[in-house]
Structure formats: structure tokens, C-alpha cells
Amino acid sequence: MKTKREAANQPEEAHAGRTPFSQDPHAVREPKENNLEMAIGHEVRAYRKKLGITVTDLAAATGISLGMLSKIENGNISPSLTTLQSLSRALGVPMTAFFRRYEEPRNAVFVKAGQGIELERRGTRAGHQYNLLGHIDNNTSGVIVEPYLITLTADSDVFPTFQHEGMEFLYMLEGEVIYRHGDQLFQMQPGDSLFFDADAPHGPEQLVKLPSKYLSIISYPQQNSRS
């Protein structure tokens, strides 16, 4: 088994299989006046794919040309009410369904320093202090994200076998721990991070320097988004 420090000496292995990122973190959305068209197009495409039909199939069912449907799905034009009515009949959804994404609120949660909700997660051991820093349920992304500030003290009980669905990201703030993920060990010091599939057994294997603090950000699909 290799610690993180040992693994850092093998950059070729660490970067193997990397693919280019498809999302620009500095990108901006279309101008406000085009948001409605984009929202309608997104819903038309989503409902079409849910039925497992092609653009050609939808064109045949509605009498709308392929070119027009392509423009609608890409948010390039504003479809008429007659067109939306044809699409709603063909896709088997009410017309109001096409506006759902446009009308949904986008929420934000602000937590002042020291005011996170202290709680015990399932499987928590003595001395593992969890502070939930924010939570937004039922959002438009289809993903639930839970950010925690975790503090380990001298009384903490080492427990390296947490397992749960989703992905997890750790960022070390203070102290030092040897963290296990599956059969790998990572020496985590302030500034280090670890991103992993949370379905594998994971957790602090050895508390080297206490107290230790790190951010844990867990993400998993919303219940209504799972197949």
C-alpha cells in the first residue's frame, strides 16, 4: 500500500486516463431574454429522450420540421403556442411542463462562521464532530451535496470503514491523518485533498497530529433522479 506522498512520485500513473473537462467554470448563461427558450428546449429534449425516440420520430409525430425541432431543442427560437401544443401531445406531457425549468427557484445557503449545524451522521464514532455547512434539497441539478466540517480530537475513535453512495471530496485544514480508501492509504496534511468513490470503505486510519480538521463534501443523486 502506498501513502499519498509515495503516489505523488508517479505522475504518469496519477494522470492516466484523464479526459478534458467539458464544462467551462467561467462560462456565463445566455442573455436573460433567451433563458426561456433554453429552458423549453431542455425540457423538450429531456422528454423526447425519456421516451426513447429520435428527433426524426418526433418530427413525424408532430409535423414539425427537423430543422425547427433542432432549433427548439437548442433554444435558438421561441416556439409558438400551437407548436408547443403539438409537442405536448406527442410527448404526452402538459404544456406547462416545458416551463418547469424556467420557473424553478435557484436557492443559496449562507452559514456564518461557527454556525453550522452540529450533528451525528449514521456510523459516527466518539470524537468525530460533524458540522453541516449547508444543504439544498430538490434542486435543478438532480444532485444532493452535503458539505461538512469534520473535527477529530484526541478522543476520536478511528473508524476506517464508512461506506455510502456517491462521491466524496476531502480538503485538509489542520492536523494530519492517514486516510484509508479501499486498500490505499493517503497521508493528509493541511492543503491536501482527496476525491473518491464513496462506495469503497474509507475513513481515518491513523490520527497523526491532533486536533485535525477537514472539509468533507459528499454528493449523490436525488431520490427522484435515480433510475
Side-chain angles (χ1 to χ4, degrees), residues 14-226:
H15 297 293
R18 175 178 291 180
T19 57
F21 296 109
S22 59
Q23 181 164 280
D24 180 359
H26 303 293
V28 294
R29 286 291 183 91
E30 295 293 324
K32 178 66 177 178
E33 61 269 16
N34 199 36
N35 280 355
L36 178 57
E37 288 81 1
M38 294 291 290
I40 291 173
H42 179 277
E43 295 304 320
V44 170
R45 183 186 297 109
Y47 285 120
R48 175 178 61 78
K49 289 186 175 181
K50 187 176 181 179
L51 291 177
I53 62 176
T54 65
V55 178
T56 302
D57 295 329
L58 186 56
T62 59
I64 303 171
S65 70
L66 286 173
M68 178 68 75
L69 281 175
S70 178
K71 290 179 180 180
I72 291 173
E73 290 197 356
N74 289 317
N76 294 329
I77 61 171
S78 180
S80 67
L81 290 176
T82 301
T83 299
L84 288 175
Q85 187 176 48
S86 297
L87 288 169
S88 71
R89 288 172 177 170
L91 296 171
V93 297
M95 284 180 58
T96 53
F98 298 134
F99 302 96
R100 179 184 62 84
R101 188 176 178 86
Y102 181 73
E103 295 173 343
E104 283 182 342
R106 270 57 170 178
N107 298 319
V109 175
F110 176 68
V111 178
K112 290 289 288 183
Q115 294 184 5
I117 301 174
E118 186 171 339
L119 49 81
E120 286 193 4
R121 288 179 56 209
R122 183 170 53 190
T124 298
R125 293 304 196 235
H128 287 209
Q129 179 183 334
Y130 287 81
N131 281 278
L132 182 62
L133 302 181
H135 182 75
I136 298 178
D137 202 6
N138 296 324
N139 59 76
T140 59
S141 70
V143 177
I144 296 295
V145 178
E146 297 178 358
Y148 294 95
L149 174 62
I150 299 177
T151 303
L152 307 178
T153 67
D155 297 324
S156 297
D157 181 16
V158 178
F159 186 62
T161 53
F162 288 111
Q163 279 183 279
H164 51 85
E165 64 178 333
M167 305 295 292
E168 186 166 354
F169 174 80
L170 304 182
Y171 184 83
M172 200 71 187
L173 299 171
E174 180 183 339
E176 181 179 346
V177 301
I178 303 296
Y179 200 92
R180 174 179 292 278
H181 178 259
D183 60 358
Q184 291 184 290
L185 296 176
F186 300 89
Q187 181 182 359
M188 298 194 66
Q189 298 173 339
D192 292 342
S193 62
L194 184 63
F195 185 47
F196 54 86
D197 185 338
D199 190 51
H202 60 275
E205 175 90 357
Q206 181 181 348
L207 309 181
V208 180
K209 184 178 180 180
L210 296 171
S212 291
K213 289 186 178 181
Y214 56 88
L215 290 174
S216 168
I217 302 175
I218 301 170
S219 62
Y220 53 91
Q222 293 185 49
Q223 290 287 345
N224 57 11
S225 298
R226 297 171 193 162

